[in-house]
Amino acid sequence: MSKKPAQRRKKPRNRQSTPTGGAGTTAAPGPGGPARRQPSGPAPRPGSALANTTTGRTPEQAQGNGNLILWAGLGAVVLLFWYYHLVVLNQMQDLSGGLAMPDQLIGGYDLSYIEQLRAHMDGDARGQLSYVHKTAGTLFPLFLSLVTMLAIALHVPRRGVRWALWAVPLAFAIVDLWDNPLIDGLLSGPVDAGSVAIASALTVASWVLLFATVATGLAVVITAFIRTFRQKWSDAGLS
């Protein structure tokens, strides 16, 4: 006996969705929407570490990394100062009849002093001093300037104050790097009282800016340490 078309229709069967998320997940119907995957494994224990799902760093982590770079750079600056001013330039006195290099004269020099150096230093000694200026004499002001600027960037929050403080190490690097070729020119080329006066003024200015740069860096680091200490002291409820 043939069935009518209405009888041939089958009732829709509820099909349970098969989980596709892999082991450890089951499909659970959400209210008013499709099924959602829910973890079926054991719940994490209280206090257990969860996986870090982001690669972003917190400001504290970024500042901590910056401080590591700062201390490494400070060590390099100390070594460069020791090598350049206390070792190499002092050894150059063996080639100049015991006369100090113009770089070491904090109070400056005059034409007669430069003429004495020219009389005692031969071409090889002048070439060696020029090489020292191009190597350690270039690295030291650059490293000191960059390390000081990094300390200011890490510990001075106000932009205007940062730019004002950055001017000190920048000026030191510019003046010191400018002074080196002038000194080489005084010892190897024509010399007159005017060129000696300019080079002497730059030498004095470079020493003044060196002390100012070191003082600025120390002041920034010490101020930041005091501020952090007071903040932790206050957070601990000891104030």
Side-chain angles (χ1 to χ4, degrees), residues 131-196:
Y131 177 77
V132 170
H133 283 160
K134 294 176 181 178
T135 54
T138 299
L139 293 177
F140 171 68
L142 288 179
F143 267 72
L144 178 58
S145 178
L146 291 175
V147 168
T148 306
M149 293 178 67
L150 177 60
I152 295 170
L154 289 175
H155 300 295
V156 178
R158 299 180 60 182
R159 180 178 300 180
V161 178
R162 282 203 305 264
W163 280 104
L165 294 177
W166 277 344
V168 178
L170 282 175
F172 164 70
I174 293 172
V175 171
D176 196 71
L177 294 177
W178 186 12
D179 189 35
N180 289 341
L182 291 182
I183 293 176
D184 295 334
L186 293 179
L187 297 178
S188 59
V191 61
D192 55 58
S195 58
V196 172

Side-chain angles (χ1 to χ4, degrees), residues 23-115:
T25 59
T26 57
R36 299 177 181 176
R37 297 184 198 142
Q38 295 181 351
S40 59
R45 292 176 299 174
S48 62
L50 300 178
N52 185 13
T53 58
T54 179
T55 58
R57 295 179 300 172
T58 63
E60 291 78 8
Q61 291 174 339
Q63 187 171 10
N65 294 336
N67 286 328
L68 291 177
I69 299 174
L70 176 62
W71 288 111
L74 180 60
V77 167
V78 173
L79 288 177
L80 283 172
F81 178 83
W82 168 79
Y83 175 75
Y84 178 50
H85 283 283
L86 303 181
V87 177
V88 179
L89 291 181
N90 283 334
Q91 290 178 352
M92 289 296 301
Q93 297 182 17
D94 298 335
L95 306 176
S96 63
L99 296 175
M101 294 298 102
D103 313 68
Q104 299 176 297
L105 302 176
I106 301 178
Y109 40 86
D110 55 10
L111 180 58
S112 62
Y113 190 85
I114 296 299
E115 290 178 346

